[in-house]
């Protein structure tokens, strides 16, 4: 059996982030990708220009349909668009046995704003994310902007990451993975995993590239793929870090501004 993983996320018309990044990561990690689309965005490297959210019952129906028929090895969230969609996702995941206390691991990537700074849901959505999804998360994977939105803390160094991980863990997830990509003054890129008692550092090289669109989605989806393949959370977090580090290393320019991280490094060379 090929392992499967589900992404519950929005569509990026530029193909760099969102469910497109998740699906190509799943593919290159050897996992069949399942999808519950939450929203369709109109975006490119210049920003998010418009979007349409799907009805909450359609989002929930997608989760329930694939879980009932095809099976889900692990699931992750991306852009969830509204409080109403979050309510529907929480209920559908409970029904499908997806969550921190369920059989199917649940990775919550708390995507609250685009990389261009455009908010992706309102205050009600942020409260629903905190109250309904964080306590259901097997792993929570915020970047430092998302740490600030969830906790009010501005993290500027590794010590602050430790403090933020403790605060976020108290909100209910089994594990917290704080990503350090935004600590530009740090010569390394050391992410931090915390289970409530033990910190695990995930070191990595900091690459000098402006092309990082989709990096957060890629790491969370590689971690999810690892869980779907039967890895422990610590093993899957290391796997996700390994995957995204290579993806950033091989990122490429496209469009007028920030290009995407690459999954092409995982492809076999063509025979000639």
């Amino acid at each position: 059996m090929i392992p499967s993983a589900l992404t519950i996320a929005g569509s990026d018309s530029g193909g760099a982030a969102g469910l497109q990044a998740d699906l190509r990561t799943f593919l290159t990690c050897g996992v069949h990708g399942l999808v519950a689309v939450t929203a369709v965005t109109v975006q490119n490297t210049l920003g998010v220009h418009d979007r349409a959210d799907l009805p909450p019952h359609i989002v929930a129906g997608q989760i329930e349909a694939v879980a009932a028929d095809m099976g889900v090895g692990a699931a992750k969230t991306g852009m969830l668009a509204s409080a109403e969609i979050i309510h529907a996702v929480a209920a559908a995941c409970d029904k499908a046995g997806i969550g921190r206390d369920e059989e199917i691991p649940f990775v919550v990537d708390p995507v609250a704003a685009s990389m261009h700074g455009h908010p992706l849901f309102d205050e009600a959505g942020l409260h629903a994310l905190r109250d309904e999804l964080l306590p259901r998360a097997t792993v929570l994977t915020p970047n430092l902007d998302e740490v600030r939105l969830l906790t009010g803390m501005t993290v500027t160094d590794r010590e602050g990451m430790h403090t933020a991980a403790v605060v976020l863990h108290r909100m209910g997830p089994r594990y917290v993975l704080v990503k350090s990509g935004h600590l530009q003054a740090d010569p390394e890129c050391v992410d931090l995993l915390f289970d409530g008692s033990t910190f695990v550092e995930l070191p990595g090289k900091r690459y000098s590239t402006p092309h990082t669109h989709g990096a957060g989605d890629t790491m969370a989806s590689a971690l999810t793929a690892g869980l779907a393949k039967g890895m422990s959370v610590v093993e899957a977090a290391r796997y996700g870090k390994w995957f995204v580090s290579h993806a950033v290393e091989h990122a490429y320019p496209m469009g007028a501004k920030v290009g995407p991280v690459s999954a092409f490094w995982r492809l076999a060379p063509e025979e000639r």
Side-chain angles (χ1 to χ4, degrees):
M1 292 289 292
I2 299 296
S4 63
L6 168 66
T7 175
I8 308 164
S11 170
D12 171 7
S13 56
L19 66 87
Q20 287 81 2
D22 294 337
L23 288 177
R24 67 172 165 265
T25 302
F26 289 163
L27 173 67
T28 50
C29 289
V31 171
H32 178 83
L34 306 166
V35 184
V37 184
T38 61
V40 176
T41 68
V42 179
Q43 67 174 291
N44 54 24
T45 66
L46 299 173
V48 179
H49 307 291
D50 203 353
R51 83 174 203 225
D53 299 345
L54 269 71
H57 76 280
I58 295 294
V59 178
Q62 293 173 86
I63 297 169
E64 293 170 11
V66 297
D69 175 52
M70 303 172 77
V72 177
K76 73 171 289 290
T77 65
M79 173 187 171
L80 295 176
S82 70
E84 292 74 19
I85 288 177
I86 291 172
H87 299 328
V89 167
C93 286
D94 287 350
K95 184 175 181 180
I98 298 168
R100 61 157 290 167
D101 297 321
E102 305 290 345
E103 183 178 350
I104 302 168
F106 191 34
V107 177
V108 175
D109 193 20
V111 180
S114 75
M115 70 170 302
H116 309 284
H118 299 93
L120 297 178
F121 49 53
D122 57 16
E123 191 66 25
L126 190 60
H127 281 296
L129 178 66
R130 287 196 199 101
D131 296 344
E132 296 198 46
L133 288 196
L134 267 61
R136 287 176 165 85
T138 307
V139 190
L140 177 70
T141 61
N143 63 31
L144 298 186
D145 286 342
E146 291 153 357
V147 167
R148 178 177 49 79
L149 287 169
L150 291 170
T151 69
M153 300 172 57
T154 299
V155 175
T156 58
D157 54 29
R158 294 188 198 180
E159 183 178 353
M161 289 175 61
H162 281 74
T163 303
V166 172
V167 172
L168 287 165
H169 189 269
R170 290 172 183 159
M171 296 181 179
R174 180 169 293 166
Y175 286 81
V176 176
L177 175 57
V178 180
K179 297 176 288 191
S180 66
H182 294 175
L183 282 185
Q184 295 296 333
D186 193 324
E188 293 183 280
C189 192
V190 181
D191 300 334
L192 189 67
L193 183 69
F194 181 59
D195 67 356
S197 60
T198 303
F199 292 98
V200 177
E201 291 190 345
L202 306 174
K205 182 178 178 180
R206 186 174 295 277
Y207 293 97
S208 180
T209 176
H211 305 303
T212 57
H213 199 182
D217 302 306
T218 297
M219 182 172 187
S221 51
L223 189 160
T224 304
L227 293 173
K229 294 164 79 169
M231 297 180 190
S232 70
V233 171
V234 174
E235 290 170 335
R238 293 191 189 280
Y239 181 74
K241 179 67 173 182
W242 167 78
F243 188 97
V244 76
S245 294
H246 285 292
V248 173
E249 180 185 9
H250 294 276
Y252 49 89
M254 180 168 280
K257 288 194 173 180
V258 181
V261 301
S262 176
F264 293 138
W265 69 274
R266 287 282 277 168
L267 301 180
E270 296 181 9
E271 294 184 2
R272 296 189 183 277

